[in-house]
Amino acid sequence: MKVQRSTFFAVTGKSNLRHFHSSSQRVPISSENESRNFVSKLLDRKWGLLSPASPIQQISVSSSAKRIEKFSFSNNTRPHLGDEMLKREKEESSFYILRDDLLHPLVNGNKARKLDALLPLLEDYKVTDLVTCGGCQSAHTAAVAVSCAERGLRSHLLLRGEQPEVLTGYNLVCTMYGNVQYIPRSRYANREDMLRTYADLVAGEDGSVLWAKDIVEGLETMDVATMDDSFSSKTSGRKVLIVNEGAGDALALLGMFRLVQYLSQDHILGKKRPVKFVVDAGTGTTTVGLGVAALSLGLPWEINAVMLADTLENYKRHEDRLIAEFTRQFPASVFCSLDMNHMIKWIHRQHPRKFGKVLEGEVEMCRKIAQETGVLVDPMYTLAAWETSTELAQNEKSSIVVMLHTGGTLGMFGLAQRYKSCFTKLND
């Protein structure tokens, strides 16, 4: 039987789920026990989130026509998981959605996962100030601002470009919770120098500055209290920690390890069931975290990453850098290199466009999904994952499809300001 494909998913009528394999090398894992012991040791630490759990819901997809506008969606907020997932016959196409957008009212989605392992270190090292950077509507900088304020710390947020006339969305959250500086694009281009220079200014003559990755590499070799006398043991002056844009460091992968271990429990997704994960890829850090964690636990999973903000070559380059950094910061005999060839598949968005652009009809589609399922997706990021999950659900017979909702819902406010015509049409 020929499967119908929506023009919403493919301009040419052919599937756009083209797979691009990673260029990383393979990691021989000597035994299943060694691998799980490594992961167990890796996760034996304090965390920012009280629990790795997120609600899991099941989205049913039905259509009597080829156009996505004619698709109907419904949401089962309490689906059967574990063995019950396979016991029930699949009467209609469906995919599961992991609601990470519900983790926190302001720090939602994958930003909370990326900060999960970092936040406790701020307290251990008695950090007073945190410096990071991002775009004007950066969900990362907003997450840092809120998380720091909740812990009594000062955040310094270097935002690319000019201050908007009206503060809204993540930009408003940054301003309310943190200290915002708008940086000209020419200066922002050299991020490392920009971050270090500003951190030195915050620290002053009596303070000290450290990069987040330096803490992690020190933790693997010595005690927290003795790692760096000029930082962790210093009793006076500000202690300033620098976090890279988007928290795109190996430390951010640990939150995904924690999530994958949780999901692979027998009563949820299990360890033997084939799963096709779908995630929208901004920097690609969340994708790499899912892939490395699934490979480490020997899970028969496939991570489908929808490329949104960069080229395939740059996503692969970021993947290789993260894996190299991870193996350096968290050495273990079970790892000597990593092979993502069968684990991560970088795929094109169904309607490629310059990052930041919203296409005709996408806001209306987001509203349709929200009204039919109670799930809010945004046209910049998570709609892309929804599109791909819907297509896979229509075509996939042997694997379960799971979409990771990475959040981004506050970004809708910024988009409404930037694309007024798209949102005013909602009243028509």
Side-chain angles (χ1 to χ4, degrees):
M1 177 179 178
K2 185 176 180 180
V3 179
Q4 294 178 336
R5 291 188 176 90
S6 163
T7 55
F8 186 76
F9 292 135
V11 177
T12 64
K14 296 180 180 180
S15 173
N16 277 328
L17 288 177
R18 288 174 286 175
H19 295 169
F20 298 97
H21 298 310
S22 160
S23 58
S24 303
Q25 300 297 312
R26 177 146 186 99
V27 173
I29 297 179
S30 10
S31 73
E32 187 175 330
N33 287 336
E34 271 192 83
S35 175
R36 291 186 181 171
N37 287 339
F38 168 74
V39 174
S40 178
K41 180 181 177 182
L42 197 68
L43 299 182
D44 185 17
R45 63 184 67 238
K46 291 187 288 185
W47 298 96
L49 293 171
L50 294 178
S51 166
S54 280
I56 299 176
Q57 300 170 354
Q58 185 178 18
I59 305 298
S60 295
V61 183
S62 59
S63 175
S64 57
K66 294 183 178 182
R67 295 178 60 82
I68 186 62
E69 293 85 354
K70 301 299 182 182
F71 273 50
S72 295
F73 301 100
S74 61
N75 187 359
N76 178 2
T77 59
R78 294 187 178 182
H80 291 272
L81 300 174
D83 292 338
E84 295 297 320
M85 298 173 83
L86 294 182
K87 286 183 179 179
R88 302 181 60 134
E89 285 294 328
K90 201 172 183 181
E91 297 178 356
E92 57 184 2
S93 300
S94 69
F95 63 90
Y96 293 85
I97 181 168
L98 183 64
R99 297 295 305 275
D100 266 13
D101 57 314
L102 302 180
L103 284 174
H104 188 285
L106 298 175
V107 187
N108 58 358
N110 61 337
K111 309 307 174 188
R113 300 285 183 192
K114 289 181 179 180
L115 297 175
D116 202 7
L118 173 66
L119 294 175
L121 295 179
L122 303 183
E123 300 173 2
D124 289 343
Y125 280 84
K126 298 181 174 58
V127 171
T128 62
D129 298 77
L130 192 150
V131 177
T132 191
C133 63
C136 189
Q137 284 291 346
S138 166
H140 160 69
T141 54
V144 167
V146 173
S147 299
C148 284
E150 289 177 342
R151 291 161 176 79
L153 308 177
R154 290 179 290 266
S155 62
H156 305 268
L157 316 168
L158 309 183
L159 303 185
R160 180 182 64 250
E162 302 76 31
Q163 178 177 330
E165 183 179 347
V166 178
L167 304 184
T168 186
Y170 291 116
N171 182 256
L172 176 59
V173 172
C174 288
T175 305
M176 296 297 294
Y177 284 85
N179 302 293
V180 171
Q181 294 287 330
Y182 293 92
I183 308 297
R185 287 172 171 78
S186 57
R187 184 181 166 207
Y188 191 93
N190 190 347
R191 291 163 179 72
E192 185 170 334
D193 180 66
M194 174 191 70
L195 288 167
R196 181 71 205 206
T197 299
Y198 194 84
D200 286 338
L201 289 174
V202 173
E205 294 183 359
D206 299 329
S208 51
V209 176
L210 199 66
W211 292 81
K213 61 182 180 180
D214 295 332
I215 287 183
V216 181
E217 292 180 3
L219 280 174
E220 294 303 310
T221 57
M222 56 190 77
D223 183 76
V224 169
T226 60
M227 177 205 148
D228 187 344
D229 289 338
S230 68
F231 193 81
S232 60
S233 302
K234 197 162 185 172
T235 57
S236 62
R238 291 188 174 186
K239 297 172 184 176
V240 185
L241 187 70
I242 302 174
V243 176
N244 279 325
E245 183 179 35
D249 297 314
L251 184 63
L253 304 186
L254 299 189
M256 304 314 298
F257 267 82
R258 189 184 184 203
L259 172 61
V260 169
Q261 185 189 54
Y262 164 76
L263 292 175
S264 64
Q265 296 179 93
D266 292 341
H267 67 284
I268 304 179
L269 299 181
K271 299 176 178 63
K272 298 180 180 180
R273 188 174 297 113
V275 176
K276 288 185 180 292
F277 259 89
V278 180
V279 60
D280 52 276
T283 64
T285 302
T286 297
T287 298
V288 176
L290 286 170
V292 174
L295 181 63
S296 301
L297 288 170
L299 301 175
W301 293 6
E302 176 184 286
I303 315 302
N304 293 269
V306 188
M307 300 181 290
L308 302 182
D310 217 331
T311 64
L312 170 63
E313 291 72 22
N314 285 339
Y315 275 114
K316 285 184 176 181
R317 191 175 295 114
H318 181 63
E319 178 186 323
D320 291 341
R321 181 189 67 80
L322 277 177
I323 291 174
E325 186 178 301
F326 177 81
T327 53
R328 184 178 69 252
Q329 292 182 0
F330 305 101
S333 60
V334 296
F335 287 107
C336 62
S337 56
L338 285 171
D339 179 11
M340 295 287 116
N341 281 341
H342 68 290
M343 190 63 69
I344 295 179
K345 296 184 183 299
W346 299 100
I347 61 178
H348 282 302
R349 188 171 193 160
Q350 278 75 7
H351 287 294
R353 82 289 300 271
K354 182 179 179 181
F355 181 67
K357 185 174 179 58
V358 174
L359 300 184
E360 184 75 21
E362 290 186 333
V363 174
E364 290 85 350
M365 191 61 209
C366 291
R367 179 175 67 168
K368 173 182 173 65
I369 293 169
Q371 291 178 345
E372 293 182 355
T373 67
V375 179
L376 183 60
V377 296
D378 75 287
M380 196 74 71
Y381 290 97
T382 48
L383 178 61
W386 187 282
E387 294 169 0
T388 299
S389 298
T390 302
E391 182 175 12
L392 284 173
Q394 295 262 307
N395 301 332
E396 186 58 44
K397 302 302 179 185
S398 59
S399 299
I400 294 167
V401 178
V402 180
M403 170 187 162
L404 176 61
H405 194 317
T406 56
T409 48
L410 281 177
M412 292 284 278
F413 294 92
L415 291 177
Q417 182 186 59
R418 184 177 176 186
Y419 295 98
K420 292 180 182 179
S421 61
C422 294
F423 286 82
T424 54
K425 288 179 181 178
L426 296 178
N427 294 322
D428 295 341

